[in-house]
Amino acid sequence: MKTFFIKVFGCQMNEYDSLKVKAILESLGLKEVKNVNEADLILVDTCTVREKPENKALSFLGQCKKLKKERGAILGIFGCVPQRLRRKIFEEMPYVDIVIGTFNYHLLPLYLEKVKEGKRVFEVWNKYSLEENKLAFYPSPPKGPISYITIQIGCNRFCTYCIVPFVRGRERSKPFSLIIKEIDKTLEKYPYIKEIQLLGQNIDFYKCPETGYELKDVLKKVSEHVFNKGIKRIRFVTSHPAGFSKDLVDTLKDLKDIVMPYIHLPPQSGSNKILKLMRRGYTKEEYLEKINYLKEILPNVAISGDFIVGFPEETKKDFEETLELVKKVKYDQGFVFAYNPRPFTYAATFLKDNVPKDEKIKRLQTLNSFLMRSALEKNKTFLEKNTEVLITKKEKKGEKYLYEGRNPQNKIVIFESEKNLDFDTVNVKIKEAYPYYLKGVLNV
Ligand code: SAM
Ligand code: SF4
Ligand code: F3S
């Protein structure tokens, strides 16, 4: 076994996990290939938050069956889908060699040994172990100039629609000392990193088990720690409206030179009746109060959110309240999902999925067009202005290079230049604005 290929589905948690798996495999001497047809080991990292990503992952795995036949490739699946389906994949997909859940992928080297001995591996655990903290010592490769560091895993909130607490386990915060060790090890191995993104399912509820530090303390201390180490930007996701505090916003103001003005604060709905049925733990008024304070203290902040349409009992009036919320907040970006009942959840068990499918799709399209208009309006405010862009991708195009990057507000910015630039920050003057990106020229 010499080469591997990882296909990732799902959220940034999975991106991070897959980068860790990549680091583990590279430490065993394996080399990543970009073409699945060339891989000796094919791993699929999976998401079960809705049916669609789950089916996509399983069908990708099904397509890889022929590579096993043709070239003897080893097939493995890990993450949230096996954690939900447990023995089902192992039993119904006999061509899959490795089935691992979310709590134990750090033991991959051991499992690969078993596969080499000709055994199939089924290892889905019921709960996490502190052993997972050892992952901090495998510096995961950055994506371009950005390093992801998960500081909190799992969730205790049990929103009535959500399967995450069932497949990721109880909320746990990584000790602050380990966060610092992980950052140091990562910067030592990849000294060109320019941005650190701290990840957590509900990152505002972070609490260090050793020091009691909260997210605001982590942001302050990490900022101090990376000072003079080449890091220009820090970001954090995902915020939860119930945990997002004024104290945190005040800290963001103090750290505005390094912590970027972009907050992902998913409201899910603008109707108090639906928020209660979802068990979100806040009202529309409380959400708006937090948004208003955030905008007052950080006027240049960009805000994004997730929305669910067609939740049980959502009437047209409830949906209109969500549209009103979108008008008030003026989101920079939004992600809309049609409600999809998930196993184990309260909503799937006790509430009737009573919004018809075509009505859900209609609401999804309406909300998406509202959000698109809002994003375009916000993006137009950048026209003819300079913005700092961290280059994340580059591609040679004839005599020129095509660059893509992110500005402080996390907007995608595209520009061309004859110069061969590094993955670093540059100044770009914005000339065109679209709902999903900005286009500009290099400002020298
Ligand atoms: N922890 C984050 C929060 O509470 O806002 C969200 C994490 S969840 C992994 C990502 C998004 O998936 C949610 O914000 C929600 O909009 C969507 N989602 C989760 N369960 C869903 C379901 N059953 N049907 C449709 N969308 C769902
Ligand atoms: Fe799911 Fe709610 Fe936890 Fe977010 S806070 S992961 S939506 S249960
Ligand atoms: Fe999906 Fe698991 Fe993330 S269910 S959204 S990959 S935590």
Side-chain angles (χ1 to χ4, degrees):
M1 204 193 305
K2 288 194 179 110
T3 54
F4 71 91
F5 176 92
I6 308 179
K7 179 87 178 166
V8 194
F9 295 88
C11 64
Q12 275 174 313
M13 291 285 153
N14 274 14
E15 290 277 349
Y16 170 85
D17 291 349
S18 285
L19 291 168
K20 283 283 170 207
V21 167
K22 184 174 163 183
I24 294 173
L25 294 174
E26 284 178 349
S27 77
L28 296 175
L30 275 78
K31 202 171 155 294
E32 188 182 31
V33 286
K34 296 284 170 208
N35 182 348
V36 66
N37 297 310
E38 293 166 7
D40 302 329
L41 169 67
I42 301 167
L43 292 174
V44 189
D45 191 0
T46 57
C47 173
T48 186
V49 77
R50 282 165 292 110
E51 230 174 320
K52 212 169 161 185
E54 175 168 313
N55 289 343
K56 272 192 189 166
L58 291 174
S59 92
F60 178 81
L61 198 60
Q63 286 160 25
C64 293
K65 190 176 167 185
K66 68 172 195 310
L67 296 176
K68 187 180 177 85
K69 254 196 194 150
E70 288 165 15
R71 341 182 24 248
I74 289 164
L75 304 186
I77 181 166
F78 67 107
C80 298
V81 172
Q83 194 66 41
R84 167 177 111 73
L85 293 174
R86 300 193 168 252
R87 288 200 76 83
K88 203 166 185 276
I89 299 173
F90 195 69
E91 279 159 11
E92 293 178 10
M93 299 171 101
Y95 51 91
V96 180
D97 304 284
I98 312 169
V99 179
I100 313 174
T102 53
F103 300 128
N104 50 320
Y105 67 88
H106 58 281
L107 292 176
L108 194 58
L110 192 80
Y111 303 149
L112 288 177
E113 281 307 313
K114 288 194 180 163
V115 172
K116 277 186 204 154
E117 290 163 17
K119 294 177 188 149
R120 286 179 78 211
V121 173
F122 171 79
E123 285 284 344
V124 178
W125 293 3
N126 288 329
K127 55 180 192 224
Y128 74 91
S129 93
L130 287 175
E131 290 281 298
E132 71 184 3
N133 279 337
K134 283 189 182 156
L135 283 166
F137 296 98
Y138 282 104
S140 44
K143 285 192 96 177
I146 303 172
S147 173
Y148 295 101
I149 308 278
T150 289
I151 68 167
Q152 181 217 40
I153 316 171
C155 179
N156 285 350
R157 296 201 62 84
F158 291 94
C159 300
T160 56
Y161 51 82
C162 185
I163 196 170
V164 169
F166 300 94
V167 289
R168 284 283 176 165
R170 296 293 64 77
E171 184 180 297
R172 50 218 188 262
S173 296
K174 196 179 272 179
F176 179 72
S177 55
L178 266 187
I179 298 175
I180 290 295
K181 276 202 185 103
E182 187 165 351
I183 290 176
D184 283 347
K185 281 214 158 263
T186 310
L187 291 183
E188 199 183 303
K189 188 155 181 198
Y190 306 100
Y192 56 84
I193 290 170
K194 297 283 178 286
E195 176 173 318
I196 293 177
Q197 287 197 15
L198 304 174
L199 307 178
Q201 203 61 257
N202 294 297
I203 202 159
D204 319 71
F205 292 100
Y206 175 89
K207 198 166 177 93
C208 172
E210 289 169 353
T211 58
Y213 289 164
E214 296 179 1
L215 177 63
K216 61 177 176 8
D217 307 308
V218 174
L219 290 171
K220 270 186 223 155
K221 298 206 174 273
V222 168
S223 303
E224 281 162 20
H225 187 78
V226 298
F227 183 71
N228 268 343
K229 291 185 179 154
I231 298 301
K232 294 185 173 173
R233 295 176 169 191
I234 296 174
R235 294 185 194 273
F236 61 97
V237 274
T238 293
S239 294
H240 189 290
F244 191 74
S245 68
K246 288 190 172 175
D247 276 1
L248 177 68
V249 176
D250 295 340
T251 304
L252 296 181
K253 189 181 179 197
D254 295 341
L255 300 175
K256 67 179 178 356
D257 293 334
I258 183 148
V259 179
M260 293 295 105
Y262 165 72
I263 304 288
H264 184 63
L265 198 63
Q268 309 299 355
S269 170
S271 149
N272 284 340
K273 180 188 98 187
I274 298 299
L275 287 172
K276 200 164 174 199
L277 279 175
M278 288 176 164
R279 211 194 278 136
R280 285 292 285 175
Y282 53 86
T283 61
K284 166 180 69 182
E285 290 76 18
E286 284 162 347
Y287 180 83
L288 278 171
E289 197 192 321
K290 292 189 181 191
I291 291 280
N292 290 338
Y293 188 71
L294 174 64
K295 285 184 181 169
E296 180 193 324
I297 302 299
L298 291 176
N300 68 342
V301 73
I303 301 166
S304 65
D306 298 343
F307 302 82
I308 296 178
V309 293
F311 190 75
E313 307 301 331
E314 188 191 65
T315 59
K316 285 205 164 81
K317 191 181 154 289
D318 294 314
F319 176 61
E320 274 158 22
E321 288 190 50
T322 301
L323 297 179
E324 274 166 35
L325 180 83
V326 169
K327 274 195 207 155
K328 281 188 182 144
V329 175
K330 298 191 173 69
Y331 288 95
D332 290 80
Q333 202 183 6
F335 305 92
V336 189
F337 307 100
Y339 170 66
N340 180 210
R342 299 307 287 141
F344 317 131
T345 62
Y346 179 93
T349 318
F350 298 108
L351 304 177
K352 202 158 166 243
D353 183 16
N354 59 1
V355 179
K357 199 175 169 198
D358 52 348
E359 182 61 26
K360 279 184 190 167
I361 293 171
K362 221 167 96 189
R363 291 182 195 176
L364 185 130
Q365 288 167 343
T366 309
L367 183 51
N368 263 332
S369 61
F370 259 64
L371 286 161
M372 222 162 86
R373 245 176 288 154
S374 168
L376 181 60
E377 239 172 72
K378 294 299 283 287
N379 285 354
K380 278 184 178 165
T381 62
F382 287 89
L383 283 172
E384 294 304 323
K385 291 191 182 136
N386 287 327
T387 190
E388 189 194 69
V389 175
L390 175 61
I391 298 173
T392 53
K393 284 183 195 160
K394 77 176 183 185
E395 197 188 307
K396 187 109 205 239
K397 209 178 144 200
E399 292 297 293
K400 287 184 175 174
Y401 291 90
L402 182 63
Y403 291 99
E404 186 181 308
R406 298 270 179 168
N407 81 348
Q409 285 80 4
N410 210 29
K411 310 267 180 199
I412 295 175
V413 180
I414 293 170
F415 65 96
E416 283 182 353
S417 172
E418 278 158 14
K419 288 190 183 163
N420 184 3
L421 302 163
D422 292 332
F423 286 142
D424 206 339
T425 48
V426 288
N427 260 312
V428 175
K429 189 165 192 175
I430 301 304
K431 292 287 176 188
E432 294 168 49
Y434 301 95
Y436 302 117
Y437 65 97
L438 300 166
K439 229 172 162 177
V441 289
L442 191 63
N443 204 2
V444 274

